[in-house]
Amino acid sequence: MDCVVELEKHKTVDSLHSPSSLRISRVREQRKSFSSWQGASPRRRSASIRLVGRHPDVYEPCDDSFALVDALLADKANLVERRPKLCLEVGCGSGYVITSLALILADECHAQFFATDISQTAAQVTRETLSAHGLQADVVVTDLVHGLEKRLAGSVDVLLFNPPYVPTPEHEVGAAGITATWAGGDRGRVVIDRMLTMVDSLLSSKGWFYMVTLTANNPSEICQIMKKKGFASRIVIQRYTEEENLHVLKFWREDLAFDYDYNAETGGGGTTPQSSLSSKMSRLAFWR
Amino acid sequence: MRLLTHNMLACNIKGVTKGFPLGIEHTRLETKESELNADFLRHIFPKLDWKAFHEAAQSVGVNNIPDQVEPVMLDDDEFLRKFHHALLEVHLEEGALICPETGRRFPVTKGVPNMLLNEDEV
Ligand SMILES: C[S@@+](CC[C@H](N)C(=O)[O-])C[C@H]1O[C@@H](n2cnc3c(N)ncnc32)[C@H](O)[C@@H]1O
C-alpha cells in the first residue's frame, strides 16, 4: 500500500515538473502513452509523433527537436503577431519541426514553408510527415541552403536550425548514415558556423532565426559572432537533460528594437524563459 | 515541388553566373488543390521573377499566366485564382531542373529536387 502511494506521488510530481527528456525517454519505450499525453493537451498543436515518418538513417525527434518546438510554442503569440509569410527549416530530418511550425502558424499566418536536408532520405521522410498532417511544403536536398540563398535573400521570416551539434572528430561531419545527423566536428561547431554566415543574407528585415545549441558549442560565443553581424539574441528555452544542456537561441536584427514581455510566456516543464538582456548576459557568463 | 520553389532555386556551381531560371523537364506532374490566400500572393508577388514564373508555368502546361503583370491585377479574383494555381497547386513530382548556363541536370525525385553538387563543382 505504501508502495502504491509512493508511486502515485512520484507520478504526479514527475508529470508536473520533470524535464521533458524524462518524459520522453519513458515515452520512447511506450509510444502509445505519448500520443495520449499529446492528445490530452490540444493546445499544443505540434506535429503528432504517431504521424512522423521514420527511417533508420533519419534523425528521430529527440530532446533537441522537442526543445525547438517548445520554443516555437512559447513564442507563438509573438510569431503570429509578426505574420510570417516565408518560413524555412534547414536540416529538417524527420520533418517533426517544420510540420509543427506549420501547424502552429496554420490558422493565422497563411505562410509557405520550405525545408532542406543534405539527406535525400530525410527529405522524403519529411514529405511523408508533412502529408500525414495534411500539409504541403517543398523540401529540397541541398547543403544548408545552397541553391536557394540568392533568390530567398532577404525574404525568410522564420528560419529554424537544429544542427548536427555534437562535438566529434572532424571526419564524422557529413559521414554516411545516421552519424551525419548529429556529428558537428570541433566543439560541434563545424556546420553551425557555416550556417551563421548565411543568416544575415537570408532573413527578412523582420526575420527571426531559432537555433538549438549545446553548452559545448559555446552559445555565448555564437551570440557574439551574431552580434557583430548586427543581431541581438536571447535564450528562448534552456533544458538540462541527463545527457546534454540544450539551449534554443533566437536571433533578430538589432536595429529593430523589440521589447517583449517574455515573462508572460513559459514553455512548459524544465524551461527557463529569460526576460531581459541583462538576465541573459548574466546567464551567458555562466556558460564560459 | 511547386513553381514557388522553382522560382527560388538557382544553380550555384562555382563560376556559374547565370544559374537562373532553371529549365524544367518533367515526366510526372501532379495537381493538388490548396486553399487560395490572397495575402500570401500579394506578399510574394514582388519577390517573384515573373518572367521565370511565366516560362515555368508554360513548361508545365499552364498557359493562362500573362507575361506582363502589374500590381493592380492583384485585385482581380480571376487573376489571383490562376496565379495561385500555377504557383502552388502544380507539383513537379518526377523530372529534372536544368542549369541554363552549363546544362547540368538536378534530378527531381518524388517531388524533391536534389541540388547537391559534386566536389569539383563547389
Ligand atoms: C540534429 S538533426 C535535426 C533533425 C530535425 N530538424 C529535428 O529537429 O528533429 C540535424 C539534421 O541536419 C541535417 N544536416 C546535417 N548537415 C547538413 C547540411 N550541411 N545541410 C543540410 N542539412 C544537414 C541532417 O541530415 C539531420 O537531418
Side-chain angles (χ1 to χ4, degrees):
Chain A
M1 189 57 193
D2 266 9
C3 177
V4 173
V5 174
E6 267 316 295
L7 259 177
E8 284 299 319
K9 231 160 102 190
H10 179 71
K11 225 159 117 191
T12 320
V13 172
D14 200 43
S15 61
L16 283 175
H17 300 293
S18 78
S20 73
S21 62
L22 282 184
R23 234 163 26 206
I24 281 143
S25 43
R26 219 182 314 122
V27 161
R28 295 201 138 188
E29 291 148 30
Q30 284 185 15
R31 296 241 169 224
K32 229 176 146 191
S33 70
F34 184 66
S35 16
S36 54
W37 167 68
Q38 274 215 324
S41 86
R43 262 169 20 100
R44 218 181 130 80
R45 296 288 332 249
S46 57
S48 159
I49 280 289
R50 276 180 306 120
L51 300 178
V52 171
R54 259 185 235 140
H55 187 282
D57 287 345
V58 176
Y59 194 85
E60 254 190 73
C62 201
D63 293 340
D64 45 356
S65 329
F66 297 123
L68 180 52
V69 169
D70 285 349
L72 298 172
L73 285 164
D75 223 9
K76 173 173 174 172
N78 298 313
L79 277 166
V80 166
E81 198 191 335
R82 312 231 78 205
R83 308 236 156 239
K85 286 285 177 277
L86 288 183
C87 305
L88 168 65
E89 183 186 13
V90 176
C92 53
S94 67
Y96 174 77
V97 175
I98 190 73
T99 302
S100 297
L101 179 69
L103 291 172
I104 290 167
L105 299 181
D107 300 334
E108 283 113 325
C109 295
H110 311 292
Q112 288 293 330
F113 300 85
F114 300 93
T116 73
D117 203 288
I118 200 160
S119 149
Q120 177 91 41
T121 320
Q124 286 305 338
V125 172
T126 289
R127 258 181 56 107
E128 287 162 22
T129 300
L130 285 160
S131 85
H133 288 82
L135 298 167
Q136 287 181 13
D138 284 343
V139 191
V140 176
V141 174
T142 193
D143 181 14
L144 300 178
V145 291
H146 286 196
L148 288 163
E149 73 274 51
K150 282 200 201 96
R151 296 278 309 137
L152 273 185
S155 294
V156 178
D157 299 315
V158 180
L159 179 64
L160 307 176
F161 193 28
N162 178 9
Y165 55 60
V166 179
T168 62
E170 211 80 359
H171 69 265
E172 290 187 5
V173 180
I178 194 77
T179 307
T181 65
W182 45 263
D186 180 37
R187 297 184 301 152
R189 283 277 292 276
V190 170
V191 185
I192 289 176
D193 284 354
R194 284 206 297 127
M195 186 62 209
L196 296 183
T197 66
M198 324 217 60
V199 176
D200 189 20
S201 113
L202 281 173
L203 281 190
S204 69
S205 59
K206 61 171 192 177
W208 286 347
F209 172 43
Y210 297 83
M211 182 172 71
V212 181
T213 60
L214 281 188
T215 305
N217 303 144
N218 197 347
S220 74
E221 189 189 86
I222 292 174
C223 293
Q224 295 294 330
I225 293 173
M226 291 303 285
K227 192 168 169 56
K228 286 197 189 118
K229 297 176 194 285
F231 285 87
S233 55
R234 59 181 290 270
I235 304 161
V236 189
I237 279 189
Q238 291 183 57
R239 194 160 283 170
Y240 301 101
T241 74
E242 276 163 49
E243 289 141 37
E244 37 191 32
N245 293 343
L246 294 165
H247 310 90
V248 180
L249 306 178
K250 172 179 173 180
F251 301 91
W252 65 94
R253 294 187 194 281
E254 201 151 37
D255 47 13
L256 296 178
F258 292 118
D259 198 9
Y260 297 124
D261 180 11
Y262 279 101
N263 289 320
E265 312 213 8
T266 53
T271 297
T272 316
Q274 297 291 305
S275 55
S276 69
L277 191 67
S278 60
S279 65
K280 189 183 78 196
M281 291 323 276
S282 66
R283 180 67 58 173
L284 290 174
F286 273 107
W287 288 349
R288 293 178 194 280
Chain B
M1 61 167 284
R2 299 161 298 176
L3 294 194
L4 169 65
T5 302
H6 171 264
N7 211 274
M8 298 300 151
L9 279 175
C11 168
N12 67 342
I13 293 178
K14 198 176 173 204
V16 166
T17 53
K18 284 202 156 156
F20 181 86
L22 299 166
I24 297 180
E25 270 178 28
H26 55 86
T27 52
R28 197 159 71 83
L29 296 170
E30 252 181 48
T31 303
K32 298 178 201 166
E33 260 179 52
S34 67
E35 199 184 320
L36 183 151
N37 185 267
D39 273 356
F40 177 79
L41 295 174
R42 292 187 186 114
H43 176 85
I44 201 73
F45 178 80
K47 297 180 189 291
L48 289 178
D49 181 313
W50 195 269
K51 187 166 176 288
F53 175 56
H54 172 252
E55 282 169 20
Q58 284 192 322
S59 63
V60 296
V62 177
N63 297 313
N64 61 3
I65 296 297
D67 58 347
Q68 299 291 326
V69 276
E70 291 161 57
V72 61
M73 294 166 88
L74 293 167
D75 294 331
D76 173 13
D77 285 348
E78 183 61 19
F79 171 75
L80 287 180
R81 211 185 44 72
K82 291 176 191 160
F83 180 18
H84 169 77
H85 173 74
L87 189 72
L88 297 167
E89 292 190 324
V90 180
H91 295 246
L92 173 56
E93 290 293 313
E94 300 289 336
L97 304 174
I98 320 289
C99 169
E101 189 173 315
T102 61
R104 158 75 143 91
R105 295 163 52 92
F106 297 94
V108 179
T109 318
K110 293 190 192 154
V112 175
N114 185 337
M115 302 302 294
L116 284 178
L117 300 176
N118 302 324
E119 266 172 39
D120 59 346
E121 293 171 325
V122 189

